[in-house]
Amino acid sequence: MTNSQKSFATRAIHHGYDAQSEQGALNPPIYMSSTFTFETAEAGGDMFAGEREGHFYTRISNPTLDHLEKRIANLEGAEAGLATASGMGAITSTLWSFLEAGDEIIIDKTLYGCTFAFMTHGLPRFGVKVTLVDMTEPANLEAAISAQTKIVYFETPANPNNRLVDISAISAIAHRAGAKVVVDNTYATPVLTRPIEHGADIVVHSATKFLSGHGDVVAGLVVGSKEDMTQVRLVGLKDMTGAVMSPLTAMLLLRGIKTLELRMERHCATARKVAEALEAHPAVLHVAYPGLQSFPQADLARRQMSNFGGFLEIVKRAKKRGNRRLFPSLTRGANKGTYTENFTKAFGYYRRTNEVYWHGLDFHALRTTFHHRLSDGTCPGAHRRKLMGHEPLDEGERAYSQKGISIASLFEQVKKIPFDVAWVQSPIRGNPKPAHEGKGLRLVHRSGT
């Protein structure tokens, strides 16, 4: 059976690894070595010059990372891959490899907050022109692109509102102008979408999220053509960022990717069930989930995705200030965690997305993120919530039955939404000062904070 005939799950477990070449070890060894010896001085010199394959310094390559890079490249349908220390390491290493002063990058208007900050505050400091475009309409890119445009960059689905971008249409426009297309595929993963199959040149991931799935690593991945990945490895990674992944992290990612397809199936199933349950609730303005018929880009989602993801967004009807009821308090006393894990725990923390803060809270079988944004046209007071779940609902039934809570009552709790929200002043450093700067949100339960 050829590699192309093997299933995604089989390739996620086995691709690129020959156990017999590693003394029969079931899992790839962890090569915790900073440097490597050479057969001869000439061989070492050839490796340094890029004229011979081999490992000589882990900042450039490592056998454990090589296994991971080959596997993610295969799953994404790319020629080659590159591992980095974080998702932002993947993004910055890629962009520093292809951009210089005087170039232009066109980005979608909705991006992950740290990506947005790097694009709008970081790149311009070095003479790179950054143009924001709403890429849900390809005609907007057609109107904005120029001879100076070197990269077109977007996420699909986008963080935080699940909006989609037509990869094929955007890629065709960008390529006619001679620009590369870079897509952040963190939300979809190669299980649901493979952007290179739709015309993208480079795909980046925050592997911290779904690819790892266990909440125990921070990591990034890049895939693309062999030529492009060599450029990113020897310029962006080696010389510009030094964002090198540890071999131990690579091993943990290889472990996580083995169960990626199974986990995504559960994430998608849970998110869809919750989206359908909440869509009709009178307190909900709308639910943004690509699998719903009401989703504005449902047709594109069906064309571009094999399933619809583990995140959804809920926009609540709410007044601008105070006395807004949010989501149930089923997490007090639970451990802190993040949405990078398979397992649902409670978490609450502030992060910066563009100009304002959002706040997260979580409960069993549902991932939640609360945030309040004005930068993308949302009316003040609208609330959003993203959810993803991995545990089966019948397991939640058993867990909560010990506390006298049934799954049916759990969803009734969702409908009651017994949280109030108070506005607080929060300093926001490093961003421009819009009229609404300093406004953040703090969740306040009626019985206390």
Side-chain angles (χ1 to χ4, degrees):
M1 181 182 293
T2 65
N3 185 68
S4 61
Q5 294 174 317
K6 294 177 181 177
S7 69
F8 185 98
T10 296
R11 290 181 286 120
I13 296 169
H14 298 294
H15 178 78
Y17 180 61
D18 177 12
Q20 296 311 309
S21 68
E22 299 290 354
Q23 303 188 58
L26 179 64
N27 291 303
I30 306 171
Y31 287 87
M32 295 297 290
S33 183
S34 60
T35 55
F36 301 83
T37 60
F38 315 122
E39 295 175 0
T40 65
E42 289 76 13
D46 290 343
M47 290 180 192
F48 271 91
E51 298 171 357
R52 177 172 175 169
E53 291 188 357
H55 306 287
F56 57 89
Y57 190 42
T58 287
R59 179 153 55 88
I60 299 170
S61 66
N62 174 283
T64 312
L65 273 64
D66 185 61
H67 286 306
L68 173 63
E69 291 165 351
K70 289 177 178 176
R71 191 159 298 174
I72 189 61
N74 176 268
L75 296 178
E76 282 282 9
E79 291 181 356
L82 179 67
T84 65
S86 68
M88 288 306 299
I91 294 166
T92 55
S93 295
T94 298
L95 298 187
W96 287 134
S97 299
F98 300 105
L99 293 173
E100 59 185 40
D103 290 342
E104 178 186 42
I105 179 172
I106 298 181
I107 65 173
D108 187 41
K109 73 172 190 176
T110 302
L111 297 175
Y112 166 62
C114 292
T115 306
F116 186 90
F118 171 69
M119 299 289 191
T120 58
H121 304 312
L123 288 177
R125 295 173 58 194
F126 296 90
V128 176
K129 179 182 178 183
V130 179
T131 301
L132 277 71
V133 166
D134 180 356
M135 291 190 200
T136 59
E137 294 293 339
N140 295 335
L141 176 64
E142 189 87 69
I145 204 163
S146 70
Q148 285 70 47
T149 305
K150 296 298 186 289
I151 290 178
V152 174
Y153 183 100
F154 57 90
E155 303 168 0
T156 183
N159 182 344
N161 56 14
N162 265 338
R163 64 204 294 275
L164 304 180
V165 173
D166 188 329
I167 303 170
S168 297
I170 293 297
S171 297
I173 295 169
H175 291 160
R176 285 198 296 270
K180 291 183 182 294
V181 175
V182 180
V183 180
D184 186 330
N185 197 33
T186 297
Y187 264 25
T189 80
V191 175
L192 309 184
T193 303
R194 290 173 290 280
I196 287 176
E197 295 179 0
H198 297 274
D201 299 293
I202 296 174
V203 175
V204 296
H205 285 274
S206 171
T208 312
K209 314 301 189 306
F210 288 115
L211 292 179
S212 166
H214 291 74
D216 51 12
V217 302
V218 174
L221 293 168
V222 192
V223 301
S225 69
K226 185 175 182 180
E227 180 181 2
D228 283 349
M229 292 304 96
T230 298
Q231 177 84 349
V232 178
R233 185 185 300 276
L234 298 181
V235 177
L237 180 65
K238 179 176 76 74
D239 295 337
M240 303 294 287
T241 67
V244 180
M245 181 185 291
S246 161
L248 178 59
T249 297
M251 182 278 291
L252 292 171
L253 271 179
L254 284 165
R255 174 209 59 183
I257 288 172
K258 289 179 180 181
T259 60
L260 177 63
E261 187 175 51
L262 288 171
R263 289 186 286 105
M264 291 307 296
E265 288 175 1
R266 177 61 58 82
H267 289 315
C268 293
T270 301
R272 181 161 192 154
K273 184 169 184 177
V274 174
E276 291 171 348
L278 295 180
E279 185 178 31
H281 192 275
V284 175
L285 188 62
H286 77 83
V287 178
Y289 183 68
L292 295 176
Q293 285 296 325
S294 59
F295 187 69
Q297 298 170 292
D299 290 342
L300 175 59
R302 286 190 290 270
R303 294 199 312 270
Q304 196 165 271
M305 305 177 73
S306 62
N307 208 329
F308 306 110
F311 284 84
L312 60 89
E313 176 193 61
I314 300 171
V315 179
K316 299 232 9 99
R317 302 180 189 277
K319 297 179 181 180
K320 182 175 180 180
R321 294 176 181 270
N323 296 321
R324 288 178 292 178
R325 305 175 71 192
L326 212 52
F327 289 90
S329 174
L330 296 177
T331 57
R332 282 186 293 171
N335 293 327
K336 302 263 180 175
T338 73
Y339 70 96
T340 64
E341 298 183 45
N342 284 342
F343 317 105
T344 310
K345 297 178 181 178
F347 69 98
Y349 59 105
Y350 284 101
R351 292 178 65 181
R352 187 173 66 217
T353 64
N354 299 357
E355 291 89 2
V356 295
Y357 284 98
W358 50 267
H359 187 277
L361 189 68
D362 194 343
F363 65 94
H364 187 85
L366 302 174
R367 289 288 174 195
T368 69
T369 298
F370 304 102
H371 61 93
H372 178 82
R373 292 179 59 174
L374 303 178
S375 59
D376 58 2
T378 302
C379 62
H383 256 282
R384 293 187 173 142
R385 171 182 178 172
K386 294 180 297 201
L387 308 91
M388 79 180 200
H390 180 261
E391 308 93 321
L393 291 180
D394 60 350
E395 183 175 307
E397 179 77 50
R398 291 193 299 273
Y400 278 104
S401 65
Q402 299 174 8
K403 302 178 182 180
I405 302 174
S406 67
I407 290 298
S409 67
L410 178 85
F411 281 95
E412 287 303 312
Q413 291 275 356
V414 172
K415 294 179 181 180
K416 293 177 182 177
I417 314 175
F419 265 100
D420 294 331
V421 176
W423 286 73
V424 296
Q425 296 297 312
S426 302
I428 299 175
R429 294 172 292 179
N431 282 346
K433 295 184 177 180
H436 57 276
E437 182 187 6
K439 294 180 179 178
L441 292 173
R442 178 168 56 90
L443 295 180
V444 182
H445 191 266
R446 285 195 297 271
S447 62
T449 58

